[in-house]
Amino acid sequence: MTNLKTGFAAAVAVAAGLAVASPAQAETFRYAFQGDAQSLDPHALNETFTIGFHSNIYEGLIRRDTELNIEPALATDWELLSPTHWRFHLRKGVTFHNGNTFNADDVLFTFKRIQMDGSDMGSKIAPNTEVIKVDDYTVDFKTAQPNPILHYEWQDVFIMDKQWAEANNAVQPTDVTTEADNYAAFNANGTGPFKVKSRETDIETVLVRNEDWWDTPQHNLSRVVFTPISQDSTRVAALLSGEVDMAYPIPVQDLRRVDANPQTETLTGPELRTIFLGMDQMRDELLYSDVEGRNPFKDVRVREAFYRAIDIQAIKQKIMRGQADPSALMISPLLFALSDRFDRPSYDPEASKQLLADAGYPDGFQVGMDCPNNRYVNDESICQAVVSMLARVGVEVDLNAQPKAQYFGKVLAYDTSFYLLGWTPSSLDSYNIYANLIMCLDRDQTPIQTKFNLGGYCNPKIDALAEQILVETDEAARNQLIAEGFRILQEDWGYIPLHQQYLAWGTSTDVEVKQSPDNKMLLYYVNVK
Amino acid sequence: MIAFIVRRLLQSIVVMLVVALLAFSMFRYIGDPINQMVGVETSSEERAELRERLGLNDPMLVQFGRFAADAARFDFGVSYQHKKPVSELFADRLPATLELAFLSAVFALACGIPMGVYTALRRDAWLSKVFLTVSLIGISLPTFLIGILLIFVFSVWLGWLPSFGRGETVDLGVWTTGLLTVSGWKAALMPSITLGLFQMTLIMRLVRSEMLEVLRTDYIKFARARGLSDRAVHFGHALKNTLVPVITITGLQLGSIIAFAIITETVFQWPGMGLLFLQAIQNVDIPIMAAYLILIAFFFVLINLIVDLLYYAVDPRLRVDRATSAGH
């Protein structure tokens, strides 16, 4: 009887063990991207893929879910003690991959490190912000001005272990001028759901599940193999042949093939980046034009004529093959609650011709255009389409499409008359758009105010609104202010927003992947079926 | 002999200096490296400071002098992107490229020579016609297209071979090799064929025409008259004399195999120097680009030098000439 009993108990135990073990069986997930994370140092480079890769290993005080809502991560909650005084309560019982305990010292260390030389994350916190340790699990932030979106970018401020960094001589992010290898660039010690098992830059990185992660895993992976594959066709082939379970980006012309293959499918959705056209409105005479003595873009009618000459549906259908959402705003509708109040002014080439005639250019004029050819999806083709659409209303555009390295070198020096650019607000908030693209450009200021307002659009009314937006802490009132600013911009025809391009991911039908509109591949939402 | 070597070495040094100057000056105009090294939100003072620290504000000549002196010591600085010394990156990547080049050369020789001999001896056989047609494809199709075609047939349709990477590698300390594992061989198969196809075609056509030429010569007729077997005539006498130009061409082609590996490596994501170079171009990583150009030039110069010396050793007439001219 006892034997039977123990036997039964053992069987139950085994069964229970199996039941528990099955979700945690060895599930390997292999994925490919067109490049590699440049460094494992979480503060070395502010670039989407690198940050997205780090999000699986390191964590910030907050994190974003797949709808980009803010969730607590290493901070459990936070409160505003006064408009300039924030208190963050840290999560207890969190350990780094090497077993060290996470506490306030690590937070202080991290915020100090991101402001050091060699860090690319310095903009994530204002330089005069005081970071104060209250106790081991409470940190205060005191800002010089009220800042309702203080923590909006902190999903990307990855907390590093102070002890580990000090022990391994990695207190400072990599400095490119010294030959000293930064230990943190090739090794990682985060608190996140995955640990780095091995890494060969540009060849292969293997991650394994962090069994001690503080959160309940939503994924069932035990091992992840990441391979960069730079050639588009090879990456697609690797996905089709089942050598990888997920690959991105998939070129638009290959989407149908990936869908046609029974073992693979595509996952598409609008990205946060807005592609738009900008016009030089600051100079008295354009740098690249046959109009002498005056700048046609200073005339609001010319700007409207350009806007109305562009057939955005044709760009969407013919060039983007449906993989884009035309946009009325300079920000993705996912990031601004009141975006449905705005409509894109209609395509109207006749009105456009009339406007040009009214402005004194009945035969149009000639203008040069700058365009990247390897930065955004089909960027050069979009520019070519714009050139032919403007030709229909009599404007002759000389297109200068260049690789991004040369293109950015030229336009970031404000050496352009008409250009195509894309912008993602890193804080996922409209103020970023105002501060980088819309407010009056002041090149004499250091740092240059509104550095990416390359055409120098300027309306003091918007600047006044932007200053209110920056400090307004009531969300509804703030959204009203943002909408008002966007309305003025639209009336001024200050920019020509085109669309949000789609993300194009390809996955095997055997895996379940959640796509996040910021194009970050978050492994903790991946499940292998 | 020594004077010959010294003269060749001096010539090589001049070539290397010119290449260094070209590499250096060309890259000055390829784009602003600062834009690539920092994020888009870095302020202009930080950019200016970085520019100063990297010495990008110094006069051209100073920058070139510094560059050439460092290059001579195989020190190409730190990669902007990888933040690792370039020499270290190259040391990591060199085995992959050399292995690929070696396998391609072996493939080209092992297939090219027999095919060339066969097509020369059996000019009208149907197999000869197949070989010649295949060789036409090898010459006319661009490498990347061949690579992609192979991937689609053998990886996507048949699922036999991996479409990318180097498979499992074994680390032997200074050298990592994929030739000791099954997956390594599988991964190497398509890239080496892609890379070697053009050279194979070249060798095959070369062997064929040389062989046809040799078979018409008098000593072959005499050999036949002596009653030697076909086998002895073809392989003992004809082939041997055919191989002298083949050795030269193979040697010279080895340089271009290494240089052409860029495309093949990109198509197959083969982790060699070519891939590193192409990624460096996209990211305006000047140290890597400069180092790569110089390294490839160095390979060419070195191979040329060796071939010259080999020529000297292989062809007795050259030595006789030298000896008599030295006597004057």
Side-chain angles (χ1 to χ4, degrees):
Chain A
M1 186 67 199
T2 13
N3 272 344
L4 197 67
K5 233 179 179 174
T6 40
F8 180 72
V12 168
V14 167
L18 280 178
V20 172
S22 63
Q25 10 171 260
E27 298 285 11
T28 299
F29 176 71
R30 301 151 303 164
Y31 75 114
F33 180 67
Q34 63 187 357
D36 199 354
Q38 277 189 15
S39 166
L40 283 182
D41 190 319
H43 306 141
L45 188 74
N46 188 2
E47 182 253 340
T48 308
F49 176 76
T50 303
I51 292 173
F53 189 75
H54 291 157
S55 311
N56 301 306
I57 304 158
Y58 283 98
E59 290 170 301
L61 291 179
I62 64 152
R63 71 179 181 202
R64 300 265 181 174
D65 65 12
T66 46
E67 256 103 57
L68 304 175
N69 301 311
I70 291 179
E71 281 185 351
L74 290 182
T76 48
D77 57 310
W78 46 92
E79 57 202 316
L80 207 52
L81 301 178
S82 83
T84 56
H85 189 176
W86 294 68
R87 174 156 292 174
F88 279 75
H89 301 281
L90 307 182
R91 193 174 296 277
K92 291 175 185 156
V94 176
T95 54
F96 287 95
H97 295 159
N98 67 353
N100 287 353
T101 316
F102 159 74
N103 60 33
D105 290 330
D106 301 316
V107 176
L108 262 63
F109 169 74
T110 298
F111 279 95
K112 205 169 129 199
R113 192 174 191 265
I114 63 169
Q115 294 183 71
M116 286 183 180
D117 252 6
S119 156
D120 202 21
M121 295 288 174
S123 63
K124 305 284 179 199
I125 186 169
N128 46 13
T129 307
E130 274 180 80
V131 189
I132 304 147
K133 174 180 169 178
V134 179
D135 60 50
D136 266 359
Y137 292 97
T138 314
V139 176
D140 280 6
F141 292 85
K142 282 187 180 167
T143 58
Q145 287 101 30
N147 180 4
I149 56 164
L150 175 77
H151 56 296
Y152 271 37
E153 295 183 45
W154 288 1
Q155 74 275 3
D156 298 339
V157 177
F158 297 114
I159 305 298
M160 278 179 88
D161 180 9
K162 185 182 182 209
Q163 268 173 289
W164 179 78
E166 284 173 350
N168 292 300
N169 198 16
V171 175
Q172 205 175 347
T174 316
D175 183 345
V176 287
T177 52
T178 61
E179 297 220 359
D181 279 354
N182 171 5
Y183 186 78
F186 304 99
N187 298 276
N189 180 34
T191 56
F194 293 92
K195 304 181 194 184
V196 177
K197 179 150 181 282
S198 69
R199 174 170 167 85
E200 285 175 275
T201 311
D202 280 335
I203 300 174
E204 188 181 86
T205 305
V206 179
L207 305 178
V208 290
R209 179 199 191 91
N210 175 11
E211 300 290 352
D212 304 320
W213 193 33
W214 55 269
D215 201 3
T216 326
Q218 293 187 39
H219 67 90
N220 68 349
L221 311 178
S222 54
R223 187 164 167 270
V224 178
V225 180
F226 166 69
T227 325
I229 303 180
S230 53
Q231 193 72 14
D232 283 341
S233 47
T234 313
R235 192 164 56 249
V236 173
L239 177 70
L240 293 176
S241 62
E243 288 165 80
V244 295
D245 302 309
M246 186 268 178
Y248 75 114
I250 304 292
V252 283
Q253 61 272 18
D254 286 327
L255 288 172
R256 206 176 297 160
R257 204 168 61 198
V258 172
D259 271 329
N261 180 9
Q263 277 89 44
T264 56
E265 60 196 0
T266 58
L267 206 57
T268 59
E271 200 188 349
L272 297 177
R273 176 179 287 126
T274 303
I275 306 292
F276 61 90
L277 302 173
M279 298 156 277
D280 177 359
Q281 299 156 51
M282 58 184 164
R283 291 188 177 81
D284 291 329
E285 187 180 299
L286 290 178
L287 294 173
Y288 304 97
S289 171
D290 63 353
V291 181
E292 281 173 19
R294 57 185 172 152
N295 176 348
F297 287 133
K298 278 193 188 275
D299 190 326
V300 66
R301 288 170 297 190
V302 173
R303 302 200 296 264
E304 182 179 351
F306 269 54
Y307 201 131
R308 291 202 183 273
I310 286 160
D311 183 357
I312 195 69
Q313 289 303 329
I315 292 180
K316 175 181 174 175
Q317 300 306 335
K318 296 286 184 309
I319 294 167
M320 303 299 289
R321 303 194 195 199
Q323 302 296 314
D325 280 344
S327 180
L329 289 178
M330 294 294 286
I331 190 164
S332 159
L334 294 169
L335 299 180
F336 180 46
L338 304 181
S339 54
D340 51 359
R341 286 195 190 171
F342 291 85
D343 286 320
R344 201 169 192 284
S346 58
Y347 164 59
D348 192 343
E350 288 312 311
S352 174
K353 271 186 214 165
Q354 189 57 48
L355 284 160
L356 283 171
D358 293 348
Y361 306 97
D363 304 318
F365 58 93
Q366 179 256 324
V367 65
M369 179 182 191
D370 289 293
C371 186
N373 62 14
N374 61 352
R375 180 66 189 91
Y376 313 113
V377 177
N378 291 339
D379 40 14
E380 188 176 1
S381 311
I382 297 170
C383 290
Q384 283 162 347
V386 166
V387 170
S388 64
M389 286 165 185
L390 286 169
R392 261 178 254 159
V393 300
V395 178
E396 187 194 323
V397 182
D398 292 331
L399 181 60
N400 176 20
Q402 302 184 87
K404 59 185 176 192
Q406 284 88 334
Y407 166 79
F408 281 113
K410 184 167 188 280
V411 299
L412 291 182
Y414 306 94
D415 179 15
T416 183
S417 295
F418 184 42
Y419 60 93
L420 177 136
L421 193 71
W423 190 264
T424 311
S426 52
S427 59
L428 309 180
D429 176 80
S430 301
Y431 181 73
N432 177 287
I433 305 280
Y434 282 91
N436 284 294
L437 300 175
I438 307 181
M439 288 166 73
C440 295
L441 171 72
D442 186 350
R443 287 161 71 185
D444 297 330
Q445 252 199 45
T446 45
I448 296 177
Q449 184 185 311
T450 329
K451 200 166 91 189
F452 301 94
N453 182 356
L454 307 176
Y457 167 77
C458 183
N459 186 334
K461 269 192 268 175
I462 288 192
D463 280 27
L465 279 169
E467 265 151 41
Q468 284 174 268
I469 294 168
L470 178 62
V471 296
E472 177 61 63
T473 43
D474 177 65
E475 197 179 331
R478 191 166 177 272
N479 279 343
Q480 290 296 340
L481 292 169
I482 293 170
E484 176 62 11
F486 284 151
R487 194 186 57 75
I488 297 174
L489 178 72
Q490 201 173 41
E491 279 174 5
D492 276 348
W493 306 89
Y495 280 103
I496 306 174
L498 295 178
H499 56 235
Q500 279 89 36
Q501 64 192 26
Y502 276 19
L503 299 171
W505 295 10
T507 65
S508 150
T509 46
D510 293 337
V511 299
E512 202 184 310
V513 171
K514 279 192 187 154
Q515 188 173 48
S516 147
D518 56 6
N519 207 12
K520 286 179 187 160
M521 173 70 202
L522 299 176
L523 295 167
Y524 46 87
Y525 292 120
V526 175
N527 279 283
V528 176
K529 287 176 210 162
Chain B
M1 177 80 181
I2 290 184
F4 172 72
I5 295 178
V6 168
R7 200 163 53 233
R8 291 293 306 179
L9 278 177
L10 282 178
Q11 282 168 357
S12 307
I13 288 171
V14 173
V15 170
M16 290 309 296
L17 268 180
V18 171
V19 170
L21 184 65
L22 267 179
F24 174 78
S25 54
M26 196 167 72
F27 294 140
R28 287 285 299 161
Y29 301 100
I30 224 165
D32 189 351
I34 301 290
N35 275 334
Q36 302 297 320
M37 291 159 66
V38 298
V40 87
E41 290 184 349
T42 310
S43 76
S44 47
E45 304 79 68
E46 283 171 294
R47 283 164 194 261
E49 196 201 13
L50 194 59
R51 183 178 295 279
E52 186 63 44
R53 267 196 296 159
L54 289 176
L56 293 175
N57 287 336
D58 295 342
M60 265 303 247
L61 207 61
V62 176
Q63 289 193 45
F64 177 65
R66 197 163 46 210
F67 174 80
D70 287 347
R73 283 181 281 121
F74 228 78
D75 173 8
F76 294 101
V78 178
S79 151
Y80 295 158
Q81 292 280 295
H82 299 266
K83 324 230 159 161
K84 254 184 168 180
V86 175
S87 47
E88 211 173 284
L89 285 169
F90 274 57
D92 285 351
R93 300 303 191 93
L94 197 64
T97 298
L98 290 185
E99 252 175 36
L100 180 63
F102 171 74
L103 288 176
S104 311
V106 168
F107 160 74
L109 284 173
C111 294
I113 295 177
M115 279 163 82
V117 171
Y118 184 85
T119 49
L121 296 180
R122 304 263 159 82
R123 266 189 288 173
D124 298 320
W126 65 271
L127 198 56
S128 293
K129 292 191 175 123
V130 171
F131 285 163
L132 287 174
T133 316
V134 168
S135 78
L136 209 61
I137 295 175
I139 280 196
S140 51
L141 277 190
T143 318
F144 69 90
L145 205 64
I146 295 172
I148 289 169
L149 279 175
L150 286 177
I151 288 178
F152 272 87
V153 173
F154 292 102
S155 302
V156 179
W157 285 354
L158 300 171
W160 291 349
L161 299 170
S163 58
F164 68 90
R166 217 183 149 198
E168 258 175 78
T169 54
V170 179
D171 195 347
L172 304 176
V174 287
W175 192 273
T176 56
T177 178
L179 302 182
L180 296 176
T181 62
V182 177
S183 75
W185 275 98
K186 275 175 124 179
L189 210 55
M190 289 199 292
S192 2
I193 290 177
T194 307
L195 185 57
L197 199 62
F198 180 82
Q199 327 294 338
M200 183 204 84
T201 311
L202 192 74
I203 290 171
M204 174 190 138
R205 300 218 150 207
L206 189 74
V207 169
R208 180 173 179 270
S209 60
E210 283 289 326
M211 193 86 173
L212 288 174
E213 192 77 22
V214 170
L215 285 175
R216 274 200 296 271
T217 53
D218 288 343
Y219 77 89
I220 295 293
K221 286 183 195 149
F222 284 126
R224 285 196 202 280
R226 269 174 63 201
L228 292 180
S229 68
D230 270 2
R231 202 189 148 83
V233 172
H234 291 158
F235 298 98
H237 296 278
L239 184 60
K240 225 180 193 173
N241 282 291
T242 311
L243 286 185
V244 178
V246 173
I247 290 170
T248 320
I249 293 292
T250 312
L252 290 177
Q253 289 292 318
L254 196 65
S256 43
I257 286 186
I258 295 173
F260 280 135
I262 294 178
I263 297 166
T264 310
E265 285 182 4
T266 315
V267 171
F268 291 97
Q269 193 68 27
W270 187 266
M273 296 188 305
L275 190 64
L276 187 71
F277 174 66
L278 216 71
Q279 282 161 351
I281 290 183
Q282 279 162 6
N283 298 318
V284 199
D285 199 335
I286 295 176
I288 291 187
M289 288 195 288
Y292 182 78
L293 273 207
I294 290 174
L295 198 68
I296 290 297
F298 178 71
F299 276 136
F300 266 97
V301 165
L302 189 74
I303 290 170
N304 259 314
L305 193 68
I306 293 173
V307 167
D308 273 350
L309 296 177
L310 268 184
Y311 233 33
Y312 203 78
V314 167
D315 195 336
R317 283 169 298 183
L318 264 180
R319 260 174 302 182
V320 175
D321 258 10
R322 290 271 159 206
T324 46
S325 62
H328 280 276

